[in-house]
Amino acid sequence: MNFLNIDDLSREEIDDVLTRATDLKERTARGKTADGMDGQTLGMIFEKPSTRTRVSFETGATQLGGHAIFLGPDDIHLGHGEPVKDTARALSRYVDVIMARVFDHADVVELGEYAEVPVVNGLTDDAHPCQTLADLLTIRERFDGFDARVAWVGDGNNVCQSFVLGAAIVGLDLVVATPEGYGVDDAVLERAEELGSAPEIVADPQAAVDGADIVYTDVWVSMGEESERAEKLEAFSRAGFQVNEDLLDDQEVMHCLPAHRGEEITDAVMESDRAIVWDQAENRLHAQKGLLTYLLD
Ligand code: CP
Ligand code: NVA
């Protein structure tokens, strides 16, 4: 199976992946390995930069007794030297699982259609399901389940859209505040409704944050949106979407990272105890291991 969207997994399957992640988190501390990928290879395609996704997948493969190959934009022919479907079929003859970070979501769909091995979405312009797995793991650890209220404050982007779907599947109480024109796609909200419930949508970030246990944000200018930078910074700051001490009460703060201090979040919040972003980043590693063993089993 492929993992292109968080709702490719059912509630039971997400629980299975998270339970594997928790188990592997305990068993594969630094220097210790498990045998979930014994001798197997992960091919990692990156059209965009990455710190966490690249390093957590590569380290995760090592900790599982496997191996990962980094395939950057100048390393392979994907999309420019040959069609995506040809890369999918050729890579399938070498590696056991493919992870891809690309711009166009249609490209991971095409990889998934033509690959003979599982394909994992490592972020597209539309979705970041691996991030959602780590986010759910982080929340599950802190709340011993999903009985929590989360406020998304910021862009209704890839990270937000996958989190909206993940929240609907596990039953998180989610409120989303986005500036006008930067909301979650209607199709995603409809999918969330079908999966359990669509989030509450508000325009005022303070209204979203009040009463929440966790506030979650992401950059205002995502990779590939550089030409919209001035326009987006103006729209988000004018509407008061920065996560700063004035906005918060006693909430913890999540951020998928990288963070742009001074834009969507302040340095003071990032450096405060309320920021649980490093646990969240670490959990990328464990969630990825849970996912890899699930897909390869
Ligand atoms: N959160 C996340 O995917 O980070 P990277 O871009 O560093 O992989
Ligand atoms: N929304 C961000 C997430 C980075 C992990 C981006 O797409 O650049």
Side-chain angles (χ1 to χ4, degrees):
M1 76 171 286
N2 299 318
F3 182 61
L4 306 183
N5 293 292
I6 188 70
D7 52 337
D8 288 342
L9 298 180
S10 66
R11 169 67 198 262
E12 291 69 31
E13 290 167 330
I14 287 176
D15 284 340
D16 186 348
V17 170
L18 298 185
T19 300
R20 286 165 184 261
T22 301
D23 174 50
L24 288 162
K25 185 171 182 173
E26 286 163 13
R27 285 202 292 130
T28 56
R30 288 173 204 281
K32 289 192 213 149
T33 56
D35 58 3
M37 275 186 79
D38 201 13
Q40 291 180 300
T41 299
L42 165 69
M44 306 189 299
I45 296 170
F46 282 95
E47 282 186 342
K48 304 178 183 181
S50 168
T51 300
R52 282 141 289 267
T53 305
R54 181 206 169 153
V55 179
S56 58
F57 264 111
E58 187 162 341
T59 305
T62 303
Q63 291 186 353
L64 293 172
H67 173 67
I69 305 176
F70 175 77
L71 303 164
D74 298 325
D75 297 327
I76 56 171
H77 304 287
L78 182 86
H80 38 92
E82 69 182 359
V84 171
K85 61 186 178 184
D86 290 4
T87 302
R89 289 178 287 200
L91 282 182
S92 299
R93 300 297 174 103
Y94 309 125
V95 305
D96 301 282
V97 54
I98 297 168
M99 189 280 297
R101 167 170 288 197
V102 295
F103 289 92
D104 189 350
H105 191 81
D107 284 347
V108 286
V109 173
E110 187 172 336
L111 278 170
E113 274 172 20
Y114 285 90
E116 291 155 23
V117 297
V119 174
V120 173
N121 178 358
L123 179 136
T124 64
D125 289 347
D126 295 348
H128 199 2
C130 292
Q131 180 68 52
T132 304
L133 285 178
D135 299 342
L136 295 179
L137 181 61
T138 306
I139 293 169
R140 195 173 85 151
E141 286 174 349
R142 301 187 91 79
F143 290 84
D144 199 22
F146 297 110
D147 187 12
R149 181 165 170 86
V150 183
W152 177 277
V153 175
D155 199 5
N157 60 14
N158 40 17
V159 174
C160 178
Q161 299 204 131
S162 290
F163 191 75
V164 162
L165 296 171
I169 295 170
V170 303
L172 268 176
D173 183 12
L174 176 63
V175 53
V176 172
T178 54
E180 198 182 342
Y182 297 104
V184 174
D185 287 352
D186 286 344
V188 171
L189 294 176
E190 281 162 28
R191 259 158 76 195
E193 188 73 56
E194 285 162 19
L195 288 164
S197 64
E200 186 185 339
I201 305 285
V202 299
D204 175 12
Q206 192 67 63
V209 166
D210 289 345
D213 300 300
I214 292 173
V215 175
Y216 193 168
T217 192
D218 183 18
V219 292
W220 290 344
V221 184
S222 284
M223 291 179 277
E225 294 183 336
E226 291 74 15
S227 64
E228 297 169 50
R229 181 171 170 77
E231 187 188 327
K232 289 194 82 174
L233 290 192
E234 204 277 320
F236 282 75
S237 52
R238 179 166 33 88
F241 273 74
Q242 185 183 71
V243 174
N244 54 37
E245 295 287 357
D246 289 343
L247 187 74
L248 299 168
D249 180 15
D250 58 355
Q251 297 86 359
E252 294 190 310
V253 173
M254 292 174 67
H255 193 310
C256 57
L257 306 178
H260 295 170
R261 288 164 163 85
E263 295 181 14
E264 79 281 358
I265 196 164
T266 57
D267 183 61
V269 171
M270 278 295 291
E271 297 300 331
S272 69
D273 288 345
R274 60 167 81 246
I276 58 170
V277 300
W278 311 117
D279 291 340
Q280 191 185 353
E282 179 188 339
N283 278 338
R284 294 294 308 277
L285 170 64
H286 308 301
Q288 248 95 269
K289 288 181 291 190
L291 178 68
L292 288 169
T293 64
Y294 178 82
L295 293 173
L296 292 168
D297 246 2

